[in-house]
Amino acid sequence: MMLGVLGGRVYDPQNGGDGEIRDIWAKDGRVVSPEEVDPDRAEIIDAAGLVVMPGGVDIHSHLVGAKVNAGRKLRPEDHRGAERARTGVFRSGSGRTVPTTHLTGYLYAEMGYTTVMEAATAPLVARHTHEELADVPILDKGAFITMGNNHFLMKCIRDGRREAARDYVAWLLGVSKGYAIKIVNPGGVENWKWGRNVGELDDEVLGFGVTPRQILETVAWINDELGLPHAPHIHGINLGRSSSARTTIEAMETLAGRRTHLCHLQFLSYGKGKGRVHSSEAAAVAEAVNANPEVTVDVGQVVFGPATTMTSDGPLQYSLHRATGSKWVNDDVEGETGGGIVPILYKRSNPINAVMWLTGMELFLLIDDPWRVFLTTDHPNAGCFTSYPHVIKLLMDRAYRLEVLESIHNRARKGALLHELDREYSLREIAIISRAGPARALGLRNKGHLGVGADADIAVYQEMDDKAEMFARPRYVFKAGELVARDGMVVADPPGRTFYVAPPYDPGIEKDIRKHFEQAYTVSFENYSLASDQVAHGEAVACR
Amino acid sequence: MTTMVEHIACTFCGCVCDDIVVEVEGSRIAGVRGACVVGRGVLDEYDPEVRRPVVAGREVDWEQAVGAAAAILNEADSPLIYGLSSTAIEAQRKAVKLADRLGAIIDTTSSVCHGPTGLAMQAVGEATCTLGEVRDRADLIVFWGCNPAASHPRHFGRFSLTPAGALTPNGRADRTVVVVDVRPTGSSKQADHFLQVNAGADFEVLTALRYLARGEDVEAAAIGGIPVSQLRDLVRTMKACRYGVVFMGMGLTMSRGRHLNVGELFSLVAELNTYTRFSVIPMRGHGNVAGADQVLTWSSGYPFAVSFARGYPQFGPGEFSAVDVLARGEADAALIVASDPVAHLPRAAAEHLEHIPTILLDPTPSLTASIAQVVFPTASYGLDAAGTAYRMDNVPIPLHRLFASGRPTDEEILDRIIEAVT
Ligand SMILES: [Zn+2]
């Protein structure tokens, strides 16, 4: 299968492209040089006057798995009126903020996204995650494995066995077919099983005598030792609290010099405001990000409207339930993690929500290097991924941003730094924060760019003044050289791949893990692992 | 020659015990170790003989049977797909795909057991945990309207009564066990406290417990047949424990009040988290009924009773649940997967199945097989087919293939039917 996307204005920041007119040729799913293609036999797209970008890459989204599916089950009211009918070979689906699996694949593709990472999977239920991933068409994807409250890991840290911890993490990623280390509220989720939490990096994890700081330092070291393609993907302590900006900056200091990804940073950049309304500390947090070149972040921008919060951060979800009175799901997972779900409605007229919105915007505008700040809504926590075009408009269009700013609650608006931030993102910068940057941070060498050898994942847009409209309905979307969406509607649904890592480890560790299993788990050691043929279209990505 | 195969999962009940040893001799099971009486029975009774599919009482080849099934479904205006709780995820995925393709109604046995639990969860949420947390942390266990001693024979030994766990090193001695039920049962005999509730009075008792837990007084000597002093003691025990877990069953879901009973319990459990940690786990019956909920939810957004008749998924318990659709005579064809509705559904529903063309995929002979127009004697997941089942706490457990039998799987047959329907 051959393809030529000709004469478009190409935004390919990885290869220096900033809207130059360029032809993109593809063959067998990859971008190739023109000599390799017989133009008479290729599908030719006349892209003159159109904007050409690599397919979008989402570095943090809760799209499948135990928690997401509990969220779907919890919210029939989210699906009613948000259905899509079956057409031809395309499956029906439903869900406004937590869409069903097939619909999720279609909606991402229709927006020009072709690669998406599932942000949190407990290894005990990784099999479930992969079963759902098999039902998400079109997209290439991977799953991050939660480890920040893992008993075996914490015991290794307590006993000073760093190498054992490293070998365990390598084993765990391999058997759960995960792509990266995920840390969620290190130690805090374990403490929640005692009805408590952690508030400081040096607080004790009950029953283990280790601290959040030790957990963070250890996994950052392990990540470098194993040479994993992505950094440890960290949701820190104190999410949503007024102490979060302080401990976020402390964590950056602790991890200085090591690769680190801090996810949905907006939720972790607050200070003490008046009463229950926090203040945005985006300026201080952005300054710390700017000063720590190894750090990448994604924002988790709040979008006004309905959302479904779901994290492995059990105590956070409980406090959200108490604060909002909304229905609440909690799930404590043996020896590994926990989690919760609470539906939410973000309102402009709510000062707390308004500050959250501001904080995200300010982070986007104050972090200098677009290669280190990525577009996410922490789907579906701060908003649905289908809001990305709207967020792009906020970033590219200062007048529109000020309009929204004028509409939010007084208490948040007054004195907000955002009034003074004139920056407008360029198309090139949008291509970085939604494609090139996250692909580079994930270590996916064939994603996020259109150089020779890259996957032929291509999104072609009609430039419009209204950037939300422009990005919501690409003219053409190609996945591995195949047209999958046209004018914002899916036209083909090939299966996507699942990326995972399988770092080598000292097999001696398995004896210890087996012993741990007999005491700590209710499933057999043998039944915990996923074989590579149990992952749909699995593809191992090499470690360093 | 016999081989010992270890770590085999039993799908008889929602415990999905995966520590069973099976002695395999060719395509025969020569011995079973570690299973409970019921699970052992299921394995022992396994009949490896490959039977041919049946259409209208006559044995035919597989291709003909697929053709006959497709013809029935093509002809139908309002087909029903039902059962699914005793087959694997892989087949459940295909069943939903077929329902979507046909514009059918699809429902699982959930609607006649824990359907109300799903409705309660949608209303108030659910604070829950995995069974390992129960074993390792829980020092207070409450069984409400369920009798695991009979229905889930290894539940006590593996999770909830006797095993030693990280924070319960002395097993039974480290746990307080309470049973609430309308009559004494095998489970209540093993409890520290048995509270006998009047039939149909669970809701009142649960409401009283919520009041008492909030520190409000209840002005009555007894509620639902239980002295209020006993309820006060129970609330005190609940608030004082380290980690409490309630297991609830059909005594709550299928008695007067149904989803309201469960919602009241789920609310009580959520509120107890103000004082200590508390979880609830629905005692799911069939081996993969939890998986059926999962697959339907990730494909349609809803856990059971889904209609694709309008081209998109609609949720309608009471409207699209199999019992109601059949009893009202609305389905004009049925495809049953791994279930015996003729034996288990109310009479009006079962009778309607005899009057419409019914297709059955099931490894074991059944009453439904005796009335079905088309019968596919398929492979048994966990014996001669591999797949996945979800335990009652939604932990996925792999089912291994012990031997090749030559029987096709539900997944393969459903796939061929999907290919054949228009
Ligand atoms: Zn997240």
Side-chain angles (χ1 to χ4, degrees), chain B residues 144-168:
Chain B
W144 198 306
C146 58
N147 181 16
S151 59
H152 298 72
R154 292 185 67 203
H155 197 276
F156 285 166
R158 292 188 67 212
F159 313 120
S160 56
L161 204 72
T162 51
L167 302 174
T168 49

Side-chain angles (χ1 to χ4, degrees), chain A residues 65-66 69-77 79-81 83-95 99-102 124-129 131-132 134-135 151 189-190 192-196 208 318 321-322 326-337 341 514 517-529 534, chain B residues 7-9 18-19 89-90 93 96-98 100-103 117-118 121-133 135-137 158-159 164-167 242-243 269-271 273-279 284 293-303 308 310-315 387-388 390-391 393-398 400:
Chain A
N69 214 32
R72 294 188 189 108
K73 184 177 173 186
L74 179 69
R75 302 208 65 188
E77 75 280 8
H79 317 328
R80 200 71 187 264
E83 297 97 349
R84 179 179 295 198
R86 176 180 62 86
T87 48
V89 299
F90 301 106
R91 296 283 295 270
S92 68
S94 75
T100 48
T101 51
H102 292 87
L124 183 63
V125 292
R127 192 177 299 276
H128 176 167
T129 298
E131 280 164 356
E132 279 197 44
D135 274 349
H151 286 191
V189 183
E190 178 62 25
W192 168 238
K193 295 176 183 177
W194 297 85
R196 311 266 293 275
F208 291 88
Y318 176 69
H321 158 63
R322 298 291 293 178
S326 291
K327 52 192 178 182
W328 169 56
V329 166
N330 181 79
D331 191 8
D332 294 334
V333 178
E334 62 203 60
E336 295 185 346
T337 182
I341 308 165
R514 232 171 231 281
F517 252 78
E518 279 157 23
Q519 295 157 2
Y521 281 95
T522 52
V523 301
S524 306
F525 175 82
E526 285 73 11
N527 289 330
Y528 186 81
S529 311
Q534 289 168 324
Chain B
H7 317 293
I8 292 308
D18 69 328
D19 57 351
I89 290 295
E90 291 72 11
R93 284 171 61 197
V96 184
K97 185 177 181 182
L98 177 62
D100 195 5
R101 175 74 50 91
L102 293 170
T117 307
M121 185 266 200
Q122 292 174 335
V124 303
E126 181 179 351
T128 190
C129 64
T130 66
L131 290 164
E133 297 287 21
R135 185 192 63 190
D136 281 351
R137 287 178 197 277
R158 292 188 67 212
F159 313 120
L167 302 174
R242 172 183 57 220
Y243 195 109
V269 166
E271 286 157 9
N273 281 282
T274 324
Y275 311 99
T276 181
R277 286 306 319 283
F278 237 94
S279 289
R284 304 307 299 267
D293 283 17
Q294 294 282 358
V295 172
L296 250 172
T297 302
W298 85 55
S299 319
S300 76
Y302 310 110
F308 289 100
R310 302 185 73 164
Y312 54 83
Q314 287 182 294
F315 181 48
T388 305
Y390 285 47
R391 216 162 64 172
D393 58 353
N394 291 302
V395 171
I397 308 281
H400 303 285

Side-chain angles (χ1 to χ4, degrees), chain B residues 213-284:
Chain B
R214 288 180 191 184
E216 299 187 38
D217 207 23
V218 173
E219 288 174 23
I223 301 278
I226 304 174
V228 169
S229 61
Q230 278 190 32
L231 296 180
R232 266 198 207 100
D233 287 347
L234 178 57
V235 165
R236 211 171 296 128
T237 311
M238 285 172 153
K239 285 186 173 181
C241 75
R242 172 183 57 220
Y243 195 109
V245 177
V246 186
F247 288 96
M248 46 77 54
M250 284 163 67
L252 273 186
T253 65
M254 288 294 137
S255 65
R256 178 171 158 256
R258 291 182 177 230
H259 61 282
L260 297 176
N261 300 338
V262 185
E264 204 66 0
L265 172 63
F266 283 14
S267 297
L268 171 67
V269 166
E271 286 157 9
L272 285 167
N273 281 282
T274 324
Y275 311 99
T276 181
R277 286 306 319 283
F278 237 94
S279 289
V280 59
I281 299 182
M283 195 72 102
R284 304 307 299 267

Side-chain angles (χ1 to χ4, degrees), chain A residues 474-495:
Chain A
R475 289 286 291 277
Y476 307 97
V477 181
F478 298 91
K479 168 74 198 322
E482 179 180 358
L483 183 68
V484 291
R486 186 171 183 157
D487 296 324
M489 276 308 292
V490 69
V491 295
D493 64 344

Side-chain angles (χ1 to χ4, degrees), chain B residues 11-13 82-89 91-92 108-109 285-292 337-340 361-364 378-382 388-389 399 410:
Chain B
T11 55
F12 168 70
C13 79
Y82 177 73
L84 298 167
S85 53
S86 294
T87 190
I89 290 295
Q92 292 164 346
T108 78
T109 63
H286 293 289
N288 195 24
V289 67
V337 185
S339 181
D340 191 5
L361 284 67
D362 202 342
T364 42
T378 45
S380 247
Y381 284 98
T388 305
L399 309 175
D410 293 341

Side-chain angles (χ1 to χ4, degrees), chain A residues 60 62 119 264 378 381:
Chain A
H60 186 112
H62 301 264
H264 40 72
D378 187 13
N381 279 286

